[in-house]
Amino acid sequence: MNRHGVIVDTNVYGAVSMKSLTALIEGQIVDRIVRPVGRMLFPDRIGCGDDVEYFAFTIRYDGGVGEEHHVDRDIRVDGNGERIACDVIDVDGPCHDFELKEHRDASIVTLNINLNLPEKGERYDGSEVFFREFPWNDGHGKDRRDPSIHEKGRGNDVGTVRFSPGMAIIHLGAHRHGSLPISTPPGEKGTDNGKRYNLVIWLFGADGDVRIAPYEKDDHMNVMQRWHGCNHTKEYVFGL
Ligand SMILES: O=C(O)CCC(=O)C(=O)O
Ligand SMILES: [Fe+2]
């Protein structure tokens, strides 16, 4: 994964370390959106300290495959068993991400934003993100599923999401997911289309810690803590 993506971090060697970009990600996206919204959506999963650090990176899928494309590609399988699309220039021609196998993230919560620019003709087909069953019972705490779901025989595959440009998904890192193969839209073979660009942000605890055990209701963060963290000292009065 991430054959053509970049890490956005001022402290990692080889990463994109543009201060304005990291400030935007940290100040506007992580602090103002991912943390408070993640805490609000998953109150039984995210507690004080579980989402204090982040890791941001971009990904690019490229589905231009076949003879119609300007470069011939063939589909190979990499060391992880993932299919990749490789330029047939020579045996070691560059390879491109094409799909993403089912996995969990090394995060408590993940934000994934589609960066495609439709005005630049960045269109693609396929590449839906699929999700498996919500991790109600991952070996911790009691299984809080609605039993009627099982009675209805609902399977393990809960749904797929198709990204439109600008759209974001926020999900638990523990929620198993992956991405279906990408392709060039019909009638656009031979163009540069068939690519998907996304920015992914993982949140986790200090030293990369990812908590799994759910919290009891009495231990959920309150509204004040969700927005200001658990160590705030400022008096806060709603409506002022
Ligand atoms: O956009 C993608 O295909 C990556 C999906 C994913 O793995 C994630 O959101 O964590
Ligand atoms: Fe993921």
Side-chain angles (χ1 to χ4, degrees), residues 62-65 73-76 83-87 94-98:
D62 187 342
V65 177
R73 298 261 172 88
D74 62 24
I75 303 297
R76 297 179 196 157
R83 286 182 300 170
I84 49 180
C86 300
D87 295 355
C95 295
H96 308 266
D97 292 317
F98 172 69

Side-chain angles (χ1 to χ4, degrees), residues 11 16 32 46 50 68 73 81 86 95 116 123 127 165 174 184 191:
N11 300 315
V16 171
R32 296 184 61 160
I46 307 176
D50 295 334
E68 306 93 333
R73 298 261 172 88
C86 300
C95 295
N116 278 52
R123 288 182 296 274
S127 200
T184 306
T191 69

Side-chain angles (χ1 to χ4, degrees), residues 59 61 100 103 105 110 112 129 163 171 177 179 196 198:
I59 51 182
Y61 295 98
L100 184 57
H103 64 282
D105 296 337
T110 296
N112 184 354
V129 179
F163 270 117
H171 61 84
H177 59 283
S179 304
R196 175 156 75 81
N198 278 52

Side-chain angles (χ1 to χ4, degrees), residues 58-72:
T58 64
I59 51 182
R60 185 185 86 178
Y61 295 98
D62 187 342
V65 177
E67 285 170 12
E68 306 93 333
H69 196 259
H70 61 286
V71 180
D72 279 357

